[in-house]
Amino acid sequence: DLYRKVFVFRKDPSDAYVVLRARLEQPLHNFTVCLRSYTDLSRPHSLFSYATRAQDNEILLFKPKPEEYRFYVGGKFVTFRVPEGRGDWEHVCASWESASGIAEFWLNGKPRPRKGLQRGYTVGATAAILLGQEQDSFGGGFDLYNSFSGELTDVYLWDVGLSPDKMRAAFLSLRLPPALLAWNSLSYEVKGDVVVKPRLRE
């Protein structure tokens, strides 16, 4: 149980990452991914990378610069502009719905304007899911200068689009619906220089 704990990615740049294991029985037509990050990086970095053998950027949360997030589904992406961080924790949730092709992006419990992405697409179920690196091949192909350095916590993946109330609950660390990946019951494996430590502050 990683309650009140964080992954600390100690080096910059880094070849380290964390492998997450989710029980996906079928492809995803909807999903929400949430996580909290704390970093002073200004270069591009990957937060959450979900690759299939057919598509290395099946789901990707990527931050190319301090005032921008990229959200990929099936190799295509939309960009969400955000206020430049004030050196604090940033909580992000990204959700996607195949039927409408609507991508939602929430930063610190507040939604950004919605965008259209990959309407009618299906996300493959056999996936390599990594924190801290961006996959250019299934489970590998890393560019060290896209690696994450800093602290990550509160990682979740659901096979539904969360309601606005639940998006805010995720930001506030309140009770959440059962998830494919849940921070308090995470099945993971650390590869390289990543340390699990207590959270320094709320």
Side-chain angles (χ1 to χ4, degrees), residues 74-91:
K76 305 267 186 355
F77 71 88
V78 285
T79 298
F80 291 94
R81 308 211 179 279
V82 297
E84 193 165 333
R86 293 187 299 281
D88 209 343
W89 283 96
E90 287 191 0
H91 183 267

Side-chain angles (χ1 to χ4, degrees), residues 142-188:
F142 307 142
D143 174 346
L144 298 192
Y145 290 95
N146 287 335
S147 64
F148 178 77
S149 162
E151 305 188 17
L152 283 180
T153 189
D154 293 349
V155 181
Y156 288 87
L157 174 66
W158 289 271
D159 57 359
V160 294
L162 290 195
S163 67
D165 284 353
K166 293 288 187 286
M167 290 286 201
R168 285 186 281 270
F171 169 58
L172 296 168
S173 299
L174 304 176
R175 184 184 290 279
L176 293 166
L180 299 171
L181 286 171
W183 188 249
N184 50 9
S185 59
L186 203 62
S187 175
Y188 68 92

Side-chain angles (χ1 to χ4, degrees), residues 32 131 142 150 164:
T32 306
L131 301 176
F142 307 142

